[in-house]
Amino acid sequence: MNGHAATRRSLSREENMGLLEEKPLSETDSEVSTVDVDRRFKLPRLVSLLTVPFVYLRTIRWGGLALRLLIFLLPSFLQGRHAREQIRPAKLGPTAYLDGMRGLAALFVYFCHYSYQAFTIAQGWGAGESNYHILKLPFLRLWYQGPAAVCVFFVISGYALCYKPLKLARSRNLESFSTTLGSLVFRRWFRLFLPPIISTFSIFCLLRLGAFESTRAFATDRTYHKNIMEKHPKRWENGYDQFWDWFWQMFRFIHVWDWAPHGGSTSYDVHLWTIPIEYRCSLYLFLVLMATVRLQTRFRLLTVLTVAWFTYRNSRWEFTLFLGGLVIAELDHIRGAHNPTPTLPLEEKQTRGSFPRLKALFWNLVSILALYLLGQPDARGAETPGWVWLTSLIPSWWGEEHYRYWQGVGAVLFIVAVARSSSWQRFFNTAVVQYFGKISYAIYLMHGPVMHVLGYRWEAWAYSITGVEGNNYKYGFFLGAVFAVPTVIWVSDIFWRAVDIPTVKFARWFESKLVQKD
């Protein structure tokens, strides 16, 4: 999950201002306060210095601080024009549509984890005798198909990490390439791991405060969790043992040594298993970029495709998708996809009108095919109408889960098609979709703990109204979602502004302090 870097444009004054930032005392006020204390109480200088924090606290306008806190807690889209411009600037970048796509993918991952606890969502429509719900049909199932969204994440990450280095390599600007790639390698750890370290530490704090205990009974009750029961984080007997358990799990979380399934996973948030994979694949991708930077374009593409074939033949679906993102970025550079379009005379536009329309139609059809492949059922594909033949085409040597195969192909095809479809790009560039793109990493990190602490409360309340028998269970599920989903979005918005954006800035600042000056 990467490529989740926030915008570098200046934030609104409210976002830049820390919660405890106040107008400092003037020199005159400070002197008067100090002299007044010394004269009135005749205290030694040390005691006088100790009173300075209390004097400062007395000068804080607590009403203004509380107001800023309340404003900060509001979702960013309710904080006025300046905050909304941070979500969707007046002028979007040429690849902004990928941010929107990533945002929806993160939202669908949350829908998956919300739904799979109540219903069997992995099986496709028509598999067996009980899978005939309309939401299991192709295309409709993409709303909650988490594994397919993860494939989209990995292709976008490969694209985003390679786009600028490839541009510099193609212009033969090797010095800037070296600087850019070195910066990406250095900051990648901070970008991927600092936010989850902070999010899991907040889970540690909430565990010690007992926040998870109020929903533990619901989280372990099969009355409400009829399918998958996610592991509720464990509360240790004392805070000391809990802290060191968290610390060593974070140590193992930075898992770069092997390709074990779910390697580096943490019990504090079981959804974060993709983060170590993102990091490993990023490092391999940087190595491929460095190895091919001086090659001619056709030889670089040939080398990358060879590495991709070797990776695919070893069933490493995750790195194959990263390399797919690299190839798509190279092809976009070759065709000048993001170069300014020259203004054509009217008669030339008219003579060229039919061919672009045919190309648009073609790529829209490809995108539909890609969406169908992304909807490959996670289970029982060989029994699902429309998937029996495609499942039989999966090579016998494929060592990973079968559903990774066509979902991965669909992810690559979809991004190739969207890169050539102005209609899809307009959709992903809309304000709402761009908003989810901004908070995508925050949604990914926050939906687990928020669901376990607050979401389960909403669900328990909903089921207490509807009951859990027959269709009442479904009504309770959707009633809980009406409140749980906005809660996750709201907390993710706060985490984006309080943690995600500052960690990106910190990584850049920290690097700037360490690099050797010319």
Side-chain angles (χ1 to χ4, degrees):
M1 321 257 306
N2 114 57
H4 292 273
T7 178
R8 296 179 61 186
R9 297 185 180 89
S10 62
L11 298 175
S12 63
R13 183 176 184 273
E14 291 82 358
E15 289 176 300
N16 283 324
M17 183 178 292
L19 293 179
L20 294 178
E21 183 178 348
E22 275 292 338
K23 180 180 178 181
L25 290 172
S26 66
E27 293 183 3
T28 305
D29 291 340
S30 179
E31 290 174 3
V32 169
S33 299
T34 306
V35 171
D36 183 64
V37 170
D38 285 338
R39 287 177 178 176
R40 189 173 298 177
F41 301 103
K42 308 295 186 182
L43 295 176
R45 182 173 181 81
L46 177 61
V47 177
S48 178
L49 290 174
L50 292 176
T51 63
V52 171
F54 300 99
V55 174
Y56 174 74
L57 289 174
R58 290 176 57 189
T59 64
I60 294 178
R61 299 185 182 92
W62 292 102
L65 177 62
L67 178 61
R68 281 201 298 276
L69 176 61
L70 290 174
I71 293 175
F72 181 80
L73 292 178
L74 284 174
S76 55
F77 54 82
L78 297 179
Q79 293 187 21
R81 179 173 57 85
H82 294 294
R84 288 194 295 270
E85 287 178 353
Q86 297 303 319
I87 299 171
R88 189 185 187 280
K91 185 177 181 181
L92 293 173
T95 59
Y97 64 90
L98 292 175
D99 294 331
M101 191 186 304
R102 181 169 47 201
L104 290 186
L107 190 65
F108 294 167
V109 166
Y110 166 47
F111 290 166
C112 170
H113 295 153
Y114 184 83
S115 303
Y116 73 0
Q117 300 178 69
F119 306 108
T120 304
I121 64 173
Q123 299 175 15
W125 188 92
E129 299 179 356
S130 58
N131 293 301
Y132 288 95
H133 195 283
I134 188 174
L135 293 179
K136 293 193 174 185
L137 286 170
F139 305 108
L140 294 180
R141 64 180 295 109
L142 290 173
W143 283 88
Y144 55 82
Q145 192 138 11
V150 170
C151 291
V152 172
F153 283 151
F154 288 169
V155 180
I156 293 176
S157 293
Y159 187 107
L161 292 174
C162 293
Y163 184 78
K164 185 176 180 181
L166 284 175
K167 184 177 182 179
L168 295 171
R170 291 173 57 80
S171 64
R172 315 310 300 165
N173 192 344
L174 299 186
E175 182 177 354
S176 295
F177 173 90
S178 176
T179 301
T180 299
L181 190 62
S183 179
L184 285 171
V185 174
F186 181 85
R187 289 184 287 114
R188 192 59 175 163
W189 185 94
F190 296 94
R191 180 68 189 104
L192 287 178
F193 288 113
L194 270 188
I197 286 173
I198 295 171
S199 70
T200 53
F201 184 76
S202 70
I203 294 172
F204 158 77
C205 294
L206 289 171
L207 279 167
R208 300 318 305 166
L209 293 172
F212 282 85
E213 300 312 300
S214 61
T215 57
R216 192 170 296 278
F218 181 91
T220 55
D221 193 337
R222 278 293 178 188
T223 304
Y224 308 107
H225 301 272
K226 296 182 181 295
N227 186 38
I228 292 177
M229 183 180 288
E230 282 191 357
K231 185 177 181 180
H232 209 56
K234 175 185 176 182
R235 189 178 192 271
W236 289 63
E237 289 294 329
N238 61 74
Y240 179 84
D241 290 340
Q242 184 95 60
F243 173 80
W244 285 110
D245 177 68
W246 168 82
F247 176 85
W248 287 112
Q249 287 205 38
M250 288 298 98
F251 179 84
R252 293 188 292 271
F253 183 57
I254 307 168
H255 187 84
V256 296
W257 311 115
D258 61 53
W259 294 89
H262 300 273
S265 296
T266 169
S267 63
Y268 285 87
D269 190 346
V270 296
H271 307 126
L272 303 186
W273 61 273
T274 62
I275 306 303
I277 293 177
E278 281 262 3
Y279 189 59
R280 290 198 298 272
C281 290
S282 298
L283 296 182
Y284 276 99
L285 193 72
F286 295 146
L287 181 62
V288 172
L289 281 172
M290 180 60 74
T292 59
V293 60
R294 299 177 66 247
L295 302 183
Q296 299 177 38
T297 299
R298 61 180 181 274
F299 294 126
R300 178 166 53 246
L301 269 176
L302 179 61
T303 302
V304 171
L305 289 173
T306 302
V307 174
W309 176 85
F310 180 79
T311 307
Y312 158 75
R313 191 60 179 78
N314 281 277
S315 304
R316 289 269 56 90
W317 62 277
E318 54 278 89
F319 188 47
T320 304
L321 295 176
F322 267 73
L323 291 171
L326 188 159
V327 172
I328 297 171
E330 182 84 76
L331 294 177
D332 279 357
H333 281 304
I334 291 173
R335 66 190 183 91
H338 307 306
N339 296 337
T341 304
T343 302
L344 299 176
L346 180 60
E347 61 275 10
E348 191 171 349
K349 290 182 180 179
Q350 292 172 344
T351 57
R352 295 187 178 188
S354 59
F355 186 62
R357 282 199 292 269
L358 288 175
K359 286 203 303 183
L361 175 62
F362 171 77
W363 287 114
N364 286 334
L365 291 174
V366 171
S367 70
I368 294 173
L369 171 63
L371 289 175
Y372 182 83
L373 296 178
L374 275 168
Q376 178 185 9
D378 302 336
R380 301 180 70 177
E383 307 170 42
T384 304
W387 280 100
V388 176
W389 179 66
L390 286 171
T391 302
S392 70
L393 295 180
I394 298 175
S396 58
W397 48 260
W398 183 253
E400 290 294 319
E401 301 98 329
H402 275 194
Y403 63 84
R404 302 289 185 193
Y405 193 87
W406 290 114
Q407 289 180 8
V409 174
V412 173
L413 268 183
F414 185 66
I415 293 175
V416 168
V418 172
R420 291 157 175 80
S421 171
S422 59
S423 56
W424 272 114
Q425 290 182 26
R426 283 195 299 271
F427 168 73
F428 287 117
N429 284 337
T430 56
V432 173
V433 179
Q434 283 292 302
Y435 170 69
F436 286 118
K438 296 295 184 184
I439 66 171
S440 58
Y441 199 30
I443 291 177
Y444 198 77
L445 297 178
M446 285 289 100
H447 77 271
V450 174
M451 189 163 61
H452 279 254
V453 175
L454 298 176
Y456 285 172
R457 288 176 177 268
W458 287 122
E459 289 186 70
W461 167 79
Y463 288 127
S464 70
I465 294 176
T466 64
V468 294
E469 300 299 328
N471 286 331
N472 290 337
Y473 181 76
K474 298 177 183 178
Y475 302 148
F477 171 84
F478 287 108
L479 178 60
V482 168
F483 296 92
V485 172
T487 302
V488 167
I489 294 172
W490 170 54
V491 176
S492 300
D493 188 298
I494 295 173
F495 189 87
W496 168 55
R497 288 177 284 122
V499 176
D500 201 20
I501 291 175
T503 53
V504 171
K505 291 183 175 180
F506 169 78
R508 291 187 180 279
W509 171 84
F510 188 57
E511 181 191 25
S512 71
K513 297 300 180 182
L514 299 182
V515 296
Q516 183 175 349
K517 306 298 181 182
D518 294 333

